[in-house]
Amino acid sequence: MYDKCINLLEERGVGLVDIAQCVLYLQKQHHPEIEEAEVIEVIKNVIKKREVQHAIITGITLDKLAESNSLQDDVLRDILINDKSLYGIDEVLAYGICNLYGSIALTNFGYIDREKPLIIKTLNEHSHMCHTFLDDIVGALAAAAASRIAHNAE
Ligand code: MG
């Protein structure tokens, strides 16, 4: 299941390094000394959690179904393809990841979701692909990893 998630993320254009860059973006003021390799290990640990894997698979599968015109429900397809801002279920799925890592993860997610740095910005610019769930999943993975780092540093 872990390998499947890593492959799904890569297939959709997201490598562990891209997520690590988001973590470094979140942590630059608090832990400027932290190295990318260290961050990647933390992200791998986050992705090893079963609940996180379920969120990744669910979100990316819905993105792919919408993109390939395979969703039977036209209303849902329209919402996902157009990334309708009032939908909100993409964020709710991401909270499922953040909730496992406490309030720091939720705060980090809110921040990164508003700023949309790096790969999250790139995902939002890919108009020919559907990344309605993926951008929030990446934000949540980065937020969760940043929270783990913050808690381990204390
Ligand atoms: Mg989204």
Side-chain angles (χ1 to χ4, degrees):
M1 190 85 115
Y2 169 83
D3 289 337
K4 182 184 168 73
C5 288
I6 297 291
N7 292 339
L8 266 178
L9 287 165
E10 279 190 359
E11 178 197 311
R12 302 299 286 171
V14 179
L16 288 173
V17 171
D18 298 310
I19 305 170
Q21 288 301 318
C22 292
V23 178
L24 291 169
Y25 175 87
L26 285 169
Q27 289 294 316
K28 63 187 173 201
Q29 284 173 351
H30 312 287
H31 301 285
E33 76 292 346
I34 195 156
E35 308 244 337
E36 188 182 86
E38 207 178 323
V39 172
I40 286 176
E41 288 311 307
V42 177
I43 297 164
K44 285 180 178 173
N45 269 308
V46 171
I47 299 176
K48 280 178 185 155
K49 266 193 192 287
R50 185 54 61 100
E51 298 99 314
V52 173
Q53 294 169 352
H54 288 162
I56 292 171
I57 290 172
T58 304
I60 292 180
T61 300
L62 283 168
D63 279 350
K64 286 168 70 176
L65 284 171
E67 189 178 296
S68 64
N69 240 330
S70 308
L71 272 179
Q72 289 194 344
D73 191 299
D74 290 342
V75 174
L76 183 58
R77 182 187 174 275
D78 179 59
I79 290 170
L80 295 187
I81 282 292
N82 295 301
D83 201 359
K84 294 268 172 72
S85 58
L86 290 177
Y87 178 56
I89 306 301
D90 42 345
E91 279 91 7
V92 173
L93 188 83
Y95 298 156
I97 295 174
C98 297
N99 283 337
L100 302 166
Y101 292 89
S103 58
I104 295 179
L106 276 169
T107 313
N108 279 333
F109 177 72
Y111 177 71
I112 207 164
D113 187 43
R114 218 173 34 250
E115 299 290 313
K116 301 199 191 310
L118 308 157
I119 183 74
I120 299 175
K121 182 166 187 267
T122 310
L123 291 172
N124 273 291
E125 285 168 351
H126 270 233
S127 54
H128 63 288
M129 287 175 89
C130 177
H131 294 314
T132 295
F133 280 93
L134 182 58
D135 63 337
D136 299 290
I137 287 170
V138 171
L141 292 174
S147 174
R148 253 186 90 113
I149 290 164
H151 281 288
N152 290 341
E154 296 303 317

